[in-house]
């Protein structure tokens, strides 16, 4: 960066998440601001049914979530991921679940959603038709804005019947 030379040199730099740029005179300093936030939770061989009391009504996924890598979030074994950052940030929420209905229930139209602060986000809905004995994988990804204490969870719904659903395996995180 030299603006006074006979042939001036200009540089255009853009910092990403966790990086800051500072220009002083002819020097550009690149540094980490440690603002990266991420979290991951997982379910493995879960056998807890998510009780479906009414069709087309999203319900929080039942089961005990285990904790993975985490910085800037608080996790609960119930699957709640709470943002603890001080700055508002747009982060990517990702989830992948294997799900099946209870015994004897076939051709069930089911959906998975992300819920933020307890409210299901309709635009995150991913659906499939599933049958007992053949767990189906559903994955989703969405960008969401997080302010301090915002939290997210995963919900499922059965649009066919009140047959309970079991999320056998799942990965759920934010980065």
């Amino acid at each position: 960066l030299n603006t006074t030379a006979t042939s001036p040199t200009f540089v255009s730099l853009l910092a990403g998440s966790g990086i800051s740029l500072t220009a002083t005179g002819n020097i550009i300093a690149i540094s980490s601001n440690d603002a990266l936030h991420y979290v991951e939770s997982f379910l493995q061989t879960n056998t807890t049914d998510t009780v479906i009391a009414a069709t087309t009504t999203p319900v929080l996924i039942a089961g005990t979530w285990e904790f993975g890598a985490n910085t800037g979030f608080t996790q609960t074994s119930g699957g709640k991921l709470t943002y603890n950052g001080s700055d508002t940030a747009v982060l990517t929420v990702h989830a992948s679940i294997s799900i099946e209905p209870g015994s004897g229930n076939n051709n069930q139209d089911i959906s998975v959603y992300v819920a933020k602060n307890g409210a299901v986000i309709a635009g995150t809905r991913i659906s499939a038709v599933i049958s007992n004995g053949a767990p189906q994988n559903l994955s989703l990804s969405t960008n969401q804005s997080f302010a301090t204490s915002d939290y997210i969870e995963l919900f499922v719904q059965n649009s066919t019947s009140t047959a309970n659903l079991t999320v056998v395996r799942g990965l759920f995180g934010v980065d």
Side-chain angles (χ1 to χ4, degrees), residues 55-167:
T55 60
T56 67
T57 301
V59 180
L60 179 65
I61 291 175
T64 302
W65 292 85
E66 297 180 46
F67 305 154
N70 173 6
T71 183
F73 279 82
T74 303
Q75 301 165 281
T76 69
S77 60
K80 181 186 286 188
L81 308 178
T82 303
Y83 178 68
N84 297 324
S86 57
D87 296 328
T88 298
V90 175
L91 302 169
T92 302
V93 177
H94 51 85
S96 180
I97 64 169
S98 294
I99 186 170
E100 69 176 322
S103 180
N105 292 287
N106 295 315
N107 301 315
Q108 302 293 298
D109 181 10
I110 60 99
S111 301
V112 61
Y113 299 85
V114 170
K116 181 177 174 186
N117 299 327
V120 167
I121 304 168
T124 64
R125 180 181 181 178
I126 300 294
S127 300
V129 174
I130 63 172
S131 293
N132 180 259
Q136 174 79 33
N137 181 267
L138 293 171
S139 297
L140 63 83
S141 179
T142 179
N143 292 327
Q144 295 294 319
S145 178
F146 287 84
T148 304
S149 299
D150 280 347
Y151 66 92
I152 56 168
E153 300 166 299
L154 290 178
F155 280 60
V156 292
Q157 85 177 19
N158 187 338
S159 296
T160 304
S161 73
T162 57
N164 293 339
L165 302 171
T166 303
V167 176

Side-chain angles (χ1 to χ4, degrees), residues 15-20 31-39 70-73 83-91 146 174-175:
S17 292
I19 298 173
S20 62
S31 61
S32 169
N33 61 16
D34 296 322
L36 294 178
H37 303 287
Y38 56 86
V39 63
N70 173 6
T71 183
F73 279 82
Y83 178 68
N84 297 324
S86 57
D87 296 328
T88 298
V90 175
L91 302 169
F146 287 84
V174 180
D175 49 22

